[in-house]
Amino acid sequence: MSYRIKTFEEYKSVYKKSVEDPEGFWAGVAEHFHWNKPWKSVLEWEFKTPNIKWFKGGKTNITYNCLDRHLKTRGDQVAILWEPNNPEDDAIRLTYRQLYEEVCRTANALKSLGIGKGDRVCFYMPMVPELAIGVLACARIGAVHSVVFAGFSAQSLADRINDSACKAVLCSDFNARGNKNIPVKKVVDDALAMGCPSIEKVLVLRHTGDPVSWNADVDVWWHDIVPNQSAECPPEQMDAEDMLFILYTSGSTGKPKGVVHTVGGYMVFAGYTFSNVFQYNEGEVFWCTADVGWITGHSYIVYGPLLNGATSLMFEGVPTFPDAGRFWEVCEKHKVNIFYTAPTAIRALMAAGDEWTEGHDLSSLRVLGSVGEPINSEAWHWYHDKIGKGRCPIVDTWWQTETGGILISPLAGITPMKPTYASLPLPGIQPCLVDASGKEIEGDDVEGMLCMKFPWPGIIRTTYGDHERCRQTYFATFEDKYFTGDGARRDEDGYYRIIGRVDDVMNVSGHRIGTAEVENAINENPHVVESAVVGFPHEIKGQGIYAYVITDGPVSDVAKFEKELLATVTRIIGPIAKPDMIQIVSGLPKTRSGKIMRRILRKIAEGDTSNLGDTSTLLNPEVVEEIKVGARR
Ligand code: WTA
């Protein structure tokens, strides 16, 4: 597509134009998509409340752009290439025409269940083609999808269903992941038993075929209502600013919030960034290893690739099953051209040993990508040398659930790379660094908090049901700026290097988890009086979770208690939030006003107790010594 930049010179001139005339620039990009009705204004915005509207008055349907538009030119090309968990099972190839028909059938089935425009639909599904199909089916009829990662607990699922009053849940019987067979439907049953009054129907995909319990009042089998539907379903005419989806993500306080993205802007941004960052060429196989339960899967497994007519590989399994060579085996088997994964996976596979990469033909690879957390130098070089054989550019893509798509990244093969640097902003993106007082930091070789000065089409519009929370979290910290929550450095070439979160959000194996969320879960344990959770550097996960816990009395069997705590966290949030280290303490260092001194706890968790600062003004300086002595390594 002609919105693809081809040289570094062109990037620089397009970038300049995009800052001088953002509306002209984005209008030019948006013209590459199909609109039923043109927009009346490209952009209306102010960050104060915030109120951001892209392509106002325009009408379109994102699935028309993902599917119908391609039928004439590439109806027989593979759209979704599905690789099962078990390498012995057959891969599934859905062409654009087949995907189109499946999406229409599923959309008609959803309609038959009484779901229509504006209704919220929750997904709690493994990585199967039906997850992508179901998401697109919602978008087809204007229903709002809310995908919940299928590793979350029943409690987390119920909270998310209730926050946005979803009308239906789509799930499978079980989830085959590595050696495990996870009872997905059971978790949905448990969530509903906790009380989800808005749910009218549960649509269940038979996937592994293992038996499930059944409630005929709400449960409906996918195979009973989808296959017999018509393979035509006219796309609902959507307003550019109609809601496309909600995706829950963790913040520094309280419960996860529902980030809202809208149809027109998200479409333009996901499509544009996919094409430019990965420099996708017609006919190539693109593999993003994320789960559709996270934003990366939304934008770069489903929407971005399909908007560009790409072949998107969707993998059901895990990197280490049946062995640590699986990723490379899949790359070889399906001749993957572009491979996009997270540093935590790279580090884990690097630790497993180079022998797993050897013996696989990786010559099809052309571009490598990284996302989700800072990539350390060692992992970058291993990825570059062992996987890319020194010839594939690496795109270190920085972005967030709230940004809808990539904001800072090299363009593959175009932007000169610097290991560990996400490098330069994409056209239309205006980053800046600010100090604690909110003053913009100019110049090179500086560090500060990363903000955006100007909106882009994929920016968050609101947090579902609580607009004030959106304002507070992203737009109130610094006047007239979107605050990312990340700290960053900018060097003499204007390159950005992301340092990490400056708020109480941890990044564990690339998953965003709030310290407050984990504390709340730990505090549910009847023996816990108080707790404090901090992140600490972890060789594979990037960050690990360190929990300081005050109990209601002496703990006789520490190992048993720790197990219990892990079970509590798994029950409330899910296994991804389990602490790696638990330290039982008699008190937490607090200021005289009762605020927990997290800085001290973080240092101790990092194993750096040399310079804890002045602790004499604390309410309880004596506990610092106790915690230092008892620190876990
Ligand atoms: C972090 C994932 C360094 C960052 C797309 C951000 C990164 C958070 C990078 C968002 C990167 C993401 N380098 N850090 N290339 N990409 N992050 O919402 O802290 O799950 O704020 O979106 O991940 O996580 P989220």
Side-chain angles (χ1 to χ4, degrees), residues 249 294-296 340 343 370-375 396-402 408 422 484-486 498-501 507 510-512:
T249 191
W294 312 112
I295 191 68
T296 307
Y340 188 32
S370 171
V371 60
E373 32 168 345
I375 180 165
D396 177 359
T397 65
W398 175 86
W399 59 298
Q400 311 178 296
T401 305
E402 296 86 344
I408 302 180
T484 65
D486 279 315
I498 310 300
I499 296 162
R501 303 287 305 194
N507 196 327
H511 302 318
R512 253 170 90 165

PDB file of all heavy atoms in Angstrom, residues 249 294-296 340 343 370-375 396-402 408 422 484-486 498-501 507 510-512, ligand 1:
ATOM      1  N   THR A 249      -6.856  -3.374  31.528  1.00  0.00           N
ATOM      2  CA  THR A 249      -5.428  -3.380  31.828  1.00  0.00           C
ATOM      3  C   THR A 249      -5.185  -2.826  33.220  1.00  0.00           C
ATOM      4  O   THR A 249      -6.032  -2.131  33.780  1.00  0.00           O
ATOM      5  CB  THR A 249      -4.629  -2.599  30.765  1.00  0.00           C
ATOM      6  OG1 THR A 249      -3.230  -2.862  30.970  1.00  0.00           O
ATOM      7  CG2 THR A 249      -4.861  -1.103  30.853  1.00  0.00           C
ATOM      8  N   TRP A 294      -4.264  -9.907  24.955  1.00  0.00           N
ATOM      9  CA  TRP A 294      -3.544  -8.649  25.218  1.00  0.00           C
ATOM     10  C   TRP A 294      -3.652  -7.746  23.999  1.00  0.00           C
ATOM     11  O   TRP A 294      -3.993  -8.190  22.904  1.00  0.00           O
ATOM     12  CB  TRP A 294      -2.064  -8.921  25.517  1.00  0.00           C
ATOM     13  CG  TRP A 294      -1.833 -10.007  26.516  1.00  0.00           C
ATOM     14  CD1 TRP A 294      -1.269 -11.235  26.276  1.00  0.00           C
ATOM     15  CD2 TRP A 294      -2.151  -9.996  27.917  1.00  0.00           C
ATOM     16  NE1 TRP A 294      -1.221 -11.961  27.432  1.00  0.00           N
ATOM     17  CE2 TRP A 294      -1.752 -11.248  28.454  1.00  0.00           C
ATOM     18  CE3 TRP A 294      -2.731  -9.061  28.765  1.00  0.00           C
ATOM     19  CZ2 TRP A 294      -1.919 -11.564  29.796  1.00  0.00           C
ATOM     20  CZ3 TRP A 294      -2.900  -9.391  30.108  1.00  0.00           C
ATOM     21  CH2 TRP A 294      -2.495 -10.621  30.612  1.00  0.00           C
ATOM     22  N   ILE A 295      -3.299  -6.487  24.164  1.00  0.00           N
ATOM     23  CA  ILE A 295      -3.423  -5.528  23.059  1.00  0.00           C
ATOM     24  C   ILE A 295      -2.557  -5.938  21.866  1.00  0.00           C
ATOM     25  O   ILE A 295      -2.941  -5.744  20.710  1.00  0.00           O
ATOM     26  CB  ILE A 295      -3.074  -4.075  23.517  1.00  0.00           C
ATOM     27  CG1 ILE A 295      -3.460  -3.053  22.435  1.00  0.00           C
ATOM     28  CG2 ILE A 295      -1.609  -3.940  23.856  1.00  0.00           C
ATOM     29  CD1 ILE A 295      -4.920  -2.865  22.189  1.00  0.00           C
ATOM     30  N   THR A 296      -1.396  -6.520  22.127  1.00  0.00           N
ATOM     31  CA  THR A 296      -0.518  -6.902  21.019  1.00  0.00           C
ATOM     32  C   THR A 296      -1.227  -7.878  20.081  1.00  0.00           C
ATOM     33  O   THR A 296      -1.111  -7.790  18.857  1.00  0.00           O
ATOM     34  CB  THR A 296       0.796  -7.501  21.557  1.00  0.00           C
ATOM     35  OG1 THR A 296       1.356  -6.568  22.482  1.00  0.00           O
ATOM     36  CG2 THR A 296       1.787  -7.757  20.443  1.00  0.00           C
ATOM     37  N   TYR A 340       7.544 -11.737  15.692  1.00  0.00           N
ATOM     38  CA  TYR A 340       7.359 -10.640  16.671  1.00  0.00           C
ATOM     39  C   TYR A 340       7.076 -11.265  18.032  1.00  0.00           C
ATOM     40  O   TYR A 340       6.069 -11.952  18.195  1.00  0.00           O
ATOM     41  CB  TYR A 340       6.166  -9.811  16.185  1.00  0.00           C
ATOM     42  CG  TYR A 340       5.854  -8.508  16.894  1.00  0.00           C
ATOM     43  CD1 TYR A 340       6.843  -7.709  17.452  1.00  0.00           C
ATOM     44  CD2 TYR A 340       4.535  -8.054  16.940  1.00  0.00           C
ATOM     45  CE1 TYR A 340       6.516  -6.496  18.054  1.00  0.00           C
ATOM     46  CE2 TYR A 340       4.208  -6.841  17.542  1.00  0.00           C
ATOM     47  CZ  TYR A 340       5.206  -6.066  18.094  1.00  0.00           C
ATOM     48  OH  TYR A 340       4.874  -4.864  18.675  1.00  0.00           O
ATOM     49  N   PRO A 343      10.647  -9.882  24.940  1.00  0.00           N
ATOM     50  CA  PRO A 343      11.968 -10.156  25.505  1.00  0.00           C
ATOM     51  C   PRO A 343      11.972 -11.323  26.492  1.00  0.00           C
ATOM     52  O   PRO A 343      12.936 -12.082  26.552  1.00  0.00           O
ATOM     53  CB  PRO A 343      12.325  -8.848  26.215  1.00  0.00           C
ATOM     54  CG  PRO A 343      11.613  -7.806  25.431  1.00  0.00           C
ATOM     55  CD  PRO A 343      10.317  -8.446  24.999  1.00  0.00           C
ATOM     56  N   SER A 370      10.262  -6.995  18.781  1.00  0.00           N
ATOM     57  CA  SER A 370      10.243  -7.171  20.223  1.00  0.00           C
ATOM     58  C   SER A 370       9.214  -6.211  20.805  1.00  0.00           C
ATOM     59  O   SER A 370       9.073  -5.087  20.332  1.00  0.00           O
ATOM     60  CB  SER A 370      11.640  -6.874  20.781  1.00  0.00           C
ATOM     61  OG  SER A 370      11.615  -6.827  22.190  1.00  0.00           O
ATOM     62  N   VAL A 371       8.524  -6.636  21.836  1.00  0.00           N
ATOM     63  CA  VAL A 371       7.480  -5.794  22.424  1.00  0.00           C
ATOM     64  C   VAL A 371       7.190  -6.179  23.866  1.00  0.00           C
ATOM     65  O   VAL A 371       7.357  -7.325  24.253  1.00  0.00           O
ATOM     66  CB  VAL A 371       6.151  -5.913  21.633  1.00  0.00           C
ATOM     67  CG1 VAL A 371       5.629  -7.334  21.616  1.00  0.00           C
ATOM     68  CG2 VAL A 371       5.071  -4.971  22.189  1.00  0.00           C
ATOM     69  N   GLY A 372       6.777  -5.214  24.654  1.00  0.00           N
ATOM     70  CA  GLY A 372       6.196  -5.502  25.965  1.00  0.00           C
ATOM     71  C   GLY A 372       7.037  -5.068  27.132  1.00  0.00           C
ATOM     72  O   GLY A 372       6.520  -4.836  28.214  1.00  0.00           O
ATOM     73  N   GLU A 373       8.335  -4.983  26.962  1.00  0.00           N
ATOM     74  CA  GLU A 373       9.232  -4.621  28.049  1.00  0.00           C
ATOM     75  C   GLU A 373      10.561  -4.216  27.424  1.00  0.00           C
ATOM     76  O   GLU A 373      10.806  -4.536  26.262  1.00  0.00           O
ATOM     77  CB  GLU A 373       9.428  -5.803  29.019  1.00  0.00           C
ATOM     78  CG  GLU A 373       9.352  -7.078  28.296  1.00  0.00           C
ATOM     79  CD  GLU A 373       9.791  -8.307  29.062  1.00  0.00           C
ATOM     80  OE1 GLU A 373      10.441  -8.201  30.108  1.00  0.00           O
ATOM     81  OE2 GLU A 373       9.515  -9.383  28.552  1.00  0.00           O
ATOM     82  N   PRO A 374      11.390  -3.561  28.212  1.00  0.00           N
ATOM     83  CA  PRO A 374      12.702  -3.209  27.673  1.00  0.00           C
ATOM     84  C   PRO A 374      13.471  -4.481  27.314  1.00  0.00           C
ATOM     85  O   PRO A 374      13.413  -5.469  28.039  1.00  0.00           O
ATOM     86  CB  PRO A 374      13.381  -2.488  28.838  1.00  0.00           C
ATOM     87  CG  PRO A 374      12.263  -2.021  29.725  1.00  0.00           C
ATOM     88  CD  PRO A 374      11.190  -3.048  29.579  1.00  0.00           C
ATOM     89  N   ILE A 375      14.148  -4.463  26.174  1.00  0.00           N
ATOM     90  CA  ILE A 375      14.972  -5.622  25.803  1.00  0.00           C
ATOM     91  C   ILE A 375      16.413  -5.304  26.195  1.00  0.00           C
ATOM     92  O   ILE A 375      16.965  -4.284  25.785  1.00  0.00           O
ATOM     93  CB  ILE A 375      14.819  -6.003  24.312  1.00  0.00           C
ATOM     94  CG1 ILE A 375      15.688  -7.218  23.979  1.00  0.00           C
ATOM     95  CG2 ILE A 375      15.089  -4.837  23.368  1.00  0.00           C
ATOM     96  CD1 ILE A 375      15.341  -7.892  22.654  1.00  0.00           C
ATOM     97  N   ASP A 396      12.327  -2.829  17.866  1.00  0.00           N
ATOM     98  CA  ASP A 396      11.990  -2.792  19.288  1.00  0.00           C
ATOM     99  C   ASP A 396      10.833  -1.804  19.402  1.00  0.00           C
ATOM    100  O   ASP A 396      11.029  -0.598  19.355  1.00  0.00           O
ATOM    101  CB  ASP A 396      13.223  -2.338  20.074  1.00  0.00           C
ATOM    102  CG  ASP A 396      12.962  -2.202  21.566  1.00  0.00           C
ATOM    103  OD1 ASP A 396      11.823  -2.433  22.015  1.00  0.00           O
ATOM    104  OD2 ASP A 396      13.926  -1.854  22.289  1.00  0.00           O
ATOM    105  N   THR A 397       9.626  -2.335  19.527  1.00  0.00           N
ATOM    106  CA  THR A 397       8.423  -1.509  19.404  1.00  0.00           C
ATOM    107  C   THR A 397       7.889  -1.122  20.768  1.00  0.00           C
ATOM    108  O   THR A 397       7.492  -1.973  21.556  1.00  0.00           O
ATOM    109  CB  THR A 397       7.325  -2.275  18.641  1.00  0.00           C
ATOM    110  OG1 THR A 397       6.916  -3.409  19.408  1.00  0.00           O
ATOM    111  CG2 THR A 397       7.818  -2.745  17.283  1.00  0.00           C
ATOM    112  N   TRP A 398       7.862   0.178  21.043  1.00  0.00           N
ATOM    113  CA  TRP A 398       7.301   0.632  22.319  1.00  0.00           C
ATOM    114  C   TRP A 398       5.874   1.141  22.112  1.00  0.00           C
ATOM    115  O   TRP A 398       5.622   1.971  21.241  1.00  0.00           O
ATOM    116  CB  TRP A 398       8.141   1.756  22.949  1.00  0.00           C
ATOM    117  CG  TRP A 398       7.446   2.258  24.183  1.00  0.00           C
ATOM    118  CD1 TRP A 398       7.547   1.737  25.437  1.00  0.00           C
ATOM    119  CD2 TRP A 398       6.503   3.333  24.251  1.00  0.00           C
ATOM    120  NE1 TRP A 398       6.708   2.424  26.283  1.00  0.00           N
ATOM    121  CE2 TRP A 398       6.051   3.400  25.587  1.00  0.00           C
ATOM    122  CE3 TRP A 398       5.984   4.224  23.321  1.00  0.00           C
ATOM    123  CZ2 TRP A 398       5.114   4.336  26.024  1.00  0.00           C
ATOM    124  CZ3 TRP A 398       5.044   5.155  23.744  1.00  0.00           C
ATOM    125  CH2 TRP A 398       4.623   5.209  25.089  1.00  0.00           C
ATOM    126  N   TRP A 399       4.983   0.636  22.942  1.00  0.00           N
ATOM    127  CA  TRP A 399       3.593   1.118  22.930  1.00  0.00           C
ATOM    128  C   TRP A 399       2.863   0.545  24.124  1.00  0.00           C
ATOM    129  O   TRP A 399       3.475  -0.084  24.980  1.00  0.00           O
ATOM    130  CB  TRP A 399       2.902   0.803  21.609  1.00  0.00           C
ATOM    131  CG  TRP A 399       2.824  -0.652  21.210  1.00  0.00           C
ATOM    132  CD1 TRP A 399       3.876  -1.496  20.969  1.00  0.00           C
ATOM    133  CD2 TRP A 399       1.632  -1.413  20.993  1.00  0.00           C
ATOM    134  NE1 TRP A 399       3.410  -2.731  20.611  1.00  0.00           N
ATOM    135  CE2 TRP A 399       2.040  -2.706  20.617  1.00  0.00           C
ATOM    136  CE3 TRP A 399       0.271  -1.131  21.067  1.00  0.00           C
ATOM    137  CZ2 TRP A 399       1.128  -3.724  20.320  1.00  0.00           C
ATOM    138  CZ3 TRP A 399      -0.628  -2.136  20.764  1.00  0.00           C
ATOM    139  CH2 TRP A 399      -0.206  -3.414  20.403  1.00  0.00           C
ATOM    140  N   GLN A 400       1.547   0.781  24.204  1.00  0.00           N
ATOM    141  CA  GLN A 400       0.754   0.402  25.379  1.00  0.00           C
ATOM    142  C   GLN A 400      -0.673   0.041  24.960  1.00  0.00           C
ATOM    143  O   GLN A 400      -1.118   0.423  23.879  1.00  0.00           O
ATOM    144  CB  GLN A 400       0.643   1.591  26.338  1.00  0.00           C
ATOM    145  CG  GLN A 400       1.948   2.273  26.649  1.00  0.00           C
ATOM    146  CD  GLN A 400       1.768   3.475  27.553  1.00  0.00           C
ATOM    147  OE1 GLN A 400       1.133   4.452  27.179  1.00  0.00           O
ATOM    148  NE2 GLN A 400       2.323   3.392  28.757  1.00  0.00           N
ATOM    149  N   THR A 401      -1.377  -0.634  25.852  1.00  0.00           N
ATOM    150  CA  THR A 401      -2.796  -0.927  25.619  1.00  0.00           C
ATOM    151  C   THR A 401      -3.521   0.363  25.238  1.00  0.00           C
ATOM    152  O   THR A 401      -4.361   0.384  24.335  1.00  0.00           O
ATOM    153  CB  THR A 401      -3.427  -1.504  26.903  1.00  0.00           C
ATOM    154  OG1 THR A 401      -2.661  -2.642  27.317  1.00  0.00           O
ATOM    155  CG2 THR A 401      -4.869  -1.927  26.670  1.00  0.00           C
ATOM    156  N   GLU A 402      -3.181   1.432  25.920  1.00  0.00           N
ATOM    157  CA  GLU A 402      -3.854   2.715  25.740  1.00  0.00           C
ATOM    158  C   GLU A 402      -3.528   3.397  24.418  1.00  0.00           C
ATOM    159  O   GLU A 402      -4.242   4.300  24.005  1.00  0.00           O
ATOM    160  CB  GLU A 402      -3.461   3.679  26.875  1.00  0.00           C
ATOM    161  CG  GLU A 402      -3.911   3.246  28.263  1.00  0.00           C
ATOM    162  CD  GLU A 402      -2.939   2.295  28.955  1.00  0.00           C
ATOM    163  OE1 GLU A 402      -2.066   1.713  28.263  1.00  0.00           O
ATOM    164  OE2 GLU A 402      -3.044   2.122  30.181  1.00  0.00           O
ATOM    165  N   ILE A 408       6.639   4.248  19.168  1.00  0.00           N
ATOM    166  CA  ILE A 408       8.073   4.481  18.977  1.00  0.00           C
ATOM    167  C   ILE A 408       8.713   3.167  18.551  1.00  0.00           C
ATOM    168  O   ILE A 408       8.600   2.164  19.258  1.00  0.00           O
ATOM    169  CB  ILE A 408       8.737   5.003  20.273  1.00  0.00           C
ATOM    170  CG1 ILE A 408       8.057   6.304  20.738  1.00  0.00           C
ATOM    171  CG2 ILE A 408      10.229   5.223  20.059  1.00  0.00           C
ATOM    172  CD1 ILE A 408       8.656   6.898  22.006  1.00  0.00           C
ATOM    173  N   ALA A 422      14.246   1.843  21.498  1.00  0.00           N
ATOM    174  CA  ALA A 422      13.033   1.766  20.669  1.00  0.00           C
ATOM    175  C   ALA A 422      13.138   2.770  19.520  1.00  0.00           C
ATOM    176  O   ALA A 422      12.351   2.748  18.591  1.00  0.00           O
ATOM    177  CB  ALA A 422      11.792   2.026  21.513  1.00  0.00           C
ATOM    178  N   THR A 484       2.486   8.586  29.863  1.00  0.00           N
ATOM    179  CA  THR A 484       2.561   7.151  29.569  1.00  0.00           C
ATOM    180  C   THR A 484       2.772   6.285  30.801  1.00  0.00           C
ATOM    181  O   THR A 484       2.495   5.092  30.769  1.00  0.00           O
ATOM    182  CB  THR A 484       3.753   6.873  28.626  1.00  0.00           C
ATOM    183  OG1 THR A 484       4.965   7.203  29.343  1.00  0.00           O
ATOM    184  CG2 THR A 484       3.671   7.697  27.354  1.00  0.00           C
ATOM    185  N   GLY A 485       3.343   6.874  31.864  1.00  0.00           N
ATOM    186  CA  GLY A 485       3.720   6.063  33.026  1.00  0.00           C
ATOM    187  C   GLY A 485       5.113   5.479  32.909  1.00  0.00           C
ATOM    188  O   GLY A 485       5.598   4.826  33.822  1.00  0.00           O
ATOM    189  N   ASP A 486       5.779   5.726  31.766  1.00  0.00           N
ATOM    190  CA  ASP A 486       7.132   5.207  31.560  1.00  0.00           C
ATOM    191  C   ASP A 486       8.170   6.315  31.696  1.00  0.00           C
ATOM    192  O   ASP A 486       7.900   7.473  31.358  1.00  0.00           O
ATOM    193  CB  ASP A 486       7.274   4.606  30.153  1.00  0.00           C
ATOM    194  CG  ASP A 486       6.714   3.194  30.068  1.00  0.00           C
ATOM    195  OD1 ASP A 486       6.997   2.396  30.979  1.00  0.00           O
ATOM    196  OD2 ASP A 486       6.000   2.898  29.095  1.00  0.00           O
ATOM    197  N   ILE A 498      13.516   3.202  26.411  1.00  0.00           N
ATOM    198  CA  ILE A 498      12.530   3.112  27.476  1.00  0.00           C
ATOM    199  C   ILE A 498      13.181   2.487  28.707  1.00  0.00           C
ATOM    200  O   ILE A 498      13.797   1.421  28.616  1.00  0.00           O
ATOM    201  CB  ILE A 498      11.316   2.255  27.043  1.00  0.00           C
ATOM    202  CG1 ILE A 498      10.770   2.721  25.679  1.00  0.00           C
ATOM    203  CG2 ILE A 498      10.239   2.270  28.123  1.00  0.00           C
ATOM    204  CD1 ILE A 498      10.299   4.156  25.618  1.00  0.00           C
ATOM    205  N   ILE A 499      13.061   3.153  29.841  1.00  0.00           N
ATOM    206  CA  ILE A 499      13.703   2.646  31.050  1.00  0.00           C
ATOM    207  C   ILE A 499      12.755   1.742  31.808  1.00  0.00           C
ATOM    208  O   ILE A 499      13.146   0.704  32.336  1.00  0.00           O
ATOM    209  CB  ILE A 499      14.179   3.819  31.925  1.00  0.00           C
ATOM    210  CG1 ILE A 499      15.249   4.608  31.167  1.00  0.00           C
ATOM    211  CG2 ILE A 499      14.737   3.311  33.252  1.00  0.00           C
ATOM    212  CD1 ILE A 499      15.490   5.983  31.704  1.00  0.00           C
ATOM    213  N   GLY A 500      11.509   2.091  31.852  1.00  0.00           N
ATOM    214  CA  GLY A 500      10.529   1.258  32.562  1.00  0.00           C
ATOM    215  C   GLY A 500       9.510   2.136  33.251  1.00  0.00           C
ATOM    216  O   GLY A 500       9.557   3.373  33.157  1.00  0.00           O
ATOM    217  N   ARG A 501       8.588   1.497  33.956  1.00  0.00           N
ATOM    218  CA  ARG A 501       7.496   2.234  34.575  1.00  0.00           C
ATOM    219  C   ARG A 501       8.007   3.095  35.727  1.00  0.00           C
ATOM    220  O   ARG A 501       8.891   2.685  36.475  1.00  0.00           O
ATOM    221  CB  ARG A 501       6.439   1.259  35.108  1.00  0.00           C
ATOM    222  CG  ARG A 501       5.861   0.321  34.080  1.00  0.00           C
ATOM    223  CD  ARG A 501       4.916   0.944  33.101  1.00  0.00           C
ATOM    224  NE  ARG A 501       3.809   1.647  33.706  1.00  0.00           N
ATOM    225  CZ  ARG A 501       2.724   2.028  33.027  1.00  0.00           C
ATOM    226  NH1 ARG A 501       2.612   1.762  31.724  1.00  0.00           N
ATOM    227  NH2 ARG A 501       1.755   2.682  33.613  1.00  0.00           N
ATOM    228  N   ASN A 507       5.989  -5.028  35.364  1.00  0.00           N
ATOM    229  CA  ASN A 507       5.960  -5.624  34.044  1.00  0.00           C
ATOM    230  C   ASN A 507       6.614  -6.996  34.170  1.00  0.00           C
ATOM    231  O   ASN A 507       7.823  -7.129  34.090  1.00  0.00           O
ATOM    232  CB  ASN A 507       6.709  -4.723  33.066  1.00  0.00           C
ATOM    233  CG  ASN A 507       6.386  -5.069  31.644  1.00  0.00           C
ATOM    234  OD1 ASN A 507       6.143  -6.231  31.314  1.00  0.00           O
ATOM    235  ND2 ASN A 507       6.382  -4.073  30.784  1.00  0.00           N
ATOM    236  N   GLY A 510       6.449  -9.374  30.586  1.00  0.00           N
ATOM    237  CA  GLY A 510       5.714  -8.573  29.602  1.00  0.00           C
ATOM    238  C   GLY A 510       4.247  -8.373  29.957  1.00  0.00           C
ATOM    239  O   GLY A 510       3.520  -7.747  29.207  1.00  0.00           O
ATOM    240  N   HIS A 511       3.808  -8.897  31.097  1.00  0.00           N
ATOM    241  CA  HIS A 511       2.420  -8.679  31.519  1.00  0.00           C
ATOM    242  C   HIS A 511       2.365  -7.545  32.521  1.00  0.00           C
ATOM    243  O   HIS A 511       3.139  -7.503  33.469  1.00  0.00           O
ATOM    244  CB  HIS A 511       1.827  -9.937  32.180  1.00  0.00           C
ATOM    245  CG  HIS A 511       1.855 -11.140  31.304  1.00  0.00           C
ATOM    246  ND1 HIS A 511       1.549 -11.102  29.977  1.00  0.00           N
ATOM    247  CD2 HIS A 511       2.176 -12.428  31.570  1.00  0.00           C
ATOM    248  CE1 HIS A 511       1.661 -12.309  29.463  1.00  0.00           C
ATOM    249  NE2 HIS A 511       2.052 -13.130  30.402  1.00  0.00           N
ATOM    250  N   ARG A 512       1.401  -6.662  32.304  1.00  0.00           N
ATOM    251  CA  ARG A 512       1.231  -5.524  33.201  1.00  0.00           C
ATOM    252  C   ARG A 512       0.457  -5.936  34.416  1.00  0.00           C
ATOM    253  O   ARG A 512      -0.672  -6.414  34.304  1.00  0.00           O
ATOM    254  CB  ARG A 512       0.433  -4.470  32.464  1.00  0.00           C
ATOM    255  CG  ARG A 512       1.239  -3.323  32.047  1.00  0.00           C
ATOM    256  CD  ARG A 512       0.422  -2.497  31.133  1.00  0.00           C
ATOM    257  NE  ARG A 512      -0.321  -1.501  31.883  1.00  0.00           N
ATOM    258  CZ  ARG A 512      -0.890  -0.457  31.295  1.00  0.00           C
ATOM    259  NH1 ARG A 512      -0.805  -0.315  29.999  1.00  0.00           N
ATOM    260  NH2 ARG A 512      -1.533   0.420  32.001  1.00  0.00           N
TER     261      ARG A 512
HETATM  262  C1  WTA B   1       6.183  -1.612  28.495  1.00  0.00           C
HETATM  263  C2  WTA B   1       2.053  -3.753  25.526  1.00  0.00           C
HETATM  264  C3  WTA B   1      10.222  -1.109  26.784  1.00  0.00           C
HETATM  265  C4  WTA B   1       6.062  -0.181  28.941  1.00  0.00           C
HETATM  266  C5  WTA B   1       2.174  -3.348  24.054  1.00  0.00           C
HETATM  267  C6  WTA B   1       4.608   0.141  28.666  1.00  0.00           C
HETATM  268  C7  WTA B   1       7.967  -1.553  26.735  1.00  0.00           C
HETATM  269  C8  WTA B   1       3.935  -1.161  28.976  1.00  0.00           C
HETATM  270  C9  WTA B   1       8.024  -1.819  25.347  1.00  0.00           C
HETATM  271  C10 WTA B   1       2.638  -1.343  28.243  1.00  0.00           C
HETATM  272  C11 WTA B   1       9.314  -1.713  24.707  1.00  0.00           C
HETATM  273  C12 WTA B   1       5.984  -2.043  26.020  1.00  0.00           C
HETATM  274  N1  WTA B   1      10.366  -1.358  25.471  1.00  0.00           N
HETATM  275  N2  WTA B   1       9.058  -1.206  27.440  1.00  0.00           N
HETATM  276  N3  WTA B   1       9.504  -1.979  23.419  1.00  0.00           N
HETATM  277  N4  WTA B   1       6.786  -2.124  24.948  1.00  0.00           N
HETATM  278  N5  WTA B   1       6.687  -1.723  27.120  1.00  0.00           N
HETATM  279  O1  WTA B   1      -0.265  -2.131  27.981  1.00  0.00           O
HETATM  280  O2  WTA B   1       6.341  -0.099  30.323  1.00  0.00           O
HETATM  281  O3  WTA B   1       0.591  -4.508  28.050  1.00  0.00           O
HETATM  282  O4  WTA B   1       4.104   1.193  29.451  1.00  0.00           O
HETATM  283  O5  WTA B   1       1.108  -2.954  26.160  1.00  0.00           O
HETATM  284  O6  WTA B   1       4.874  -2.165  28.579  1.00  0.00           O
HETATM  285  O7  WTA B   1       2.127  -2.629  28.431  1.00  0.00           O
HETATM  286  P1  WTA B   1       0.817  -3.096  27.699  1.00  0.00           P
END
